[in-house]
């Protein structure tokens, strides 16, 4: 594999981990019975390539929900500086030193900031998300995420592409545009381009 291909693969991995962080923050922040939230959390983990058996149980849920609540302010930060300060606080208080792992030779070497390869789900989720969001902020030079501006949705998201986004999806942008049109168009919302729509599950 060429160095350029390695770089592209690393960038994809960082973006995928940031997208996974956003999806998990959303799933874990929604109300609902523990069994449903746990099933949806497992679905997101599988969608982003976590291998079976997951070993995820109801006892993991409180810690995962707490980690999601701690990550939300990074997405909600008002600008790059605020996001960086929020990430620095989490990295200082809630993660370990940077280390490299290959998970016993089962994957290419890559960085981790959790305690070890068998860290609990909540620790791994918080640490891996902080690392991905920090690298994304560094690489792009802007806040790594946002919170949907739709009045009916408060999901977090990771923008893709150069254009600034206010909505997590085309559906939310369309709903707001229709609502603005019904109010008389005074605050019409520009449509979200197909390139700006959120991928993934």
């Amino acid at each position: 594999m060429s160095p350029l291909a390695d770089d592209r693969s690393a960038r994809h991995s960082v973006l995928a981990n940031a997208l996974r962080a956003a999806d998990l923050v959303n799933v874990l922040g929604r109300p609902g019975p523990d069994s449903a939230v746990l099933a949806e959390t497992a679905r997101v983990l599988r969608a982003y390539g976590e291998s079976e058996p997951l070993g995820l149980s109801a006892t993991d849920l409180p810690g995962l929900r707490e980690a999601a609540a701690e990550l939300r302010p990074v997405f909600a930060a008002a600008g790059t500086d605020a996001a960086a300060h929020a990430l620095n606080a989490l990295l200082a208080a809630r993660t370990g030193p940077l280390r490299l792992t290959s998970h016993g030779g089962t994957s290419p070497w890559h960085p981790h900031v959790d305690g070890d390869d068998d860290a609990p789900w909540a620790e791994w989720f918080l640490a891996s998300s902080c690392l991905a969001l920090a690298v994304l902020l560094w690489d792009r030079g802007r806040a790594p995420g946002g919170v949907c501006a739709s009045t009916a949705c408060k999901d977090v998201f990771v923008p893709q592409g150069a254009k600034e986004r206010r909505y997590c999806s085309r559906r939310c942008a369309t709903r707001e545009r229709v609502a603005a049109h019904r109010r008389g168009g005074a605050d019409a919302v520009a449509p979200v381009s197909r390139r700006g729509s959120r991928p993934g599950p």
Side-chain angles (χ1 to χ4, degrees):
M1 186 181 284
S2 72
L4 180 59
D6 275 342
D7 183 58
R8 284 187 190 134
S9 177
R11 285 172 185 267
H12 170 74
S13 178
V14 167
L15 179 58
N17 288 347
L19 291 167
R20 180 190 65 208
D23 284 346
L24 287 172
V25 166
N26 292 332
V27 165
L28 290 159
R30 290 184 188 126
D34 285 359
S35 58
V37 174
L38 194 64
E40 188 65 5
T41 300
R43 185 195 66 75
V44 170
L45 290 170
R46 290 185 187 102
Y48 283 97
E50 289 303 313
S51 56
E52 299 287 356
L54 290 178
L56 189 67
S57 74
T59 59
D60 295 306
L61 207 49
L64 285 166
R65 281 181 162 143
E66 181 182 342
E70 289 182 273
L71 286 165
R72 180 170 274 276
V74 176
F75 290 93
T80 308
D81 290 351
H85 290 306
L87 279 167
N88 277 340
L90 284 175
L91 287 164
R94 302 283 275 127
T95 68
L98 183 69
R99 64 187 177 84
L100 292 168
T101 181
S102 67
H103 296 285
T106 61
S107 70
W109 288 97
H110 59 282
H112 269 233
V113 288
D114 51 3
D116 60 61
D117 288 353
D118 295 319
W121 277 112
E123 181 185 338
W124 165 85
F125 166 45
L126 185 60
S128 64
S129 298
C130 284
L131 184 59
L133 294 169
V135 172
L136 206 59
L137 185 151
W138 170 31
D139 184 54
R140 294 176 168 183
R142 65 179 196 253
V147 178
C148 187
S150 170
T151 54
C153 173
K154 292 304 173 191
D155 277 1
V156 302
F157 63 92
V158 174
Q160 296 185 68
K163 290 185 179 179
E164 189 173 326
R165 281 178 53 192
R166 295 182 60 217
Y167 302 98
C168 69
S169 65
R170 290 174 60 208
R171 180 173 59 184
C172 282
T174 299
R175 181 173 55 238
E176 291 298 306
R177 190 170 62 248
V178 169
H181 177 73
R182 287 180 179 157
R183 288 191 302 267
D187 53 351
V189 178
V192 172
S193 69
R194 186 171 296 277
R195 267 185 53 192
S197 61
R198 180 174 59 182

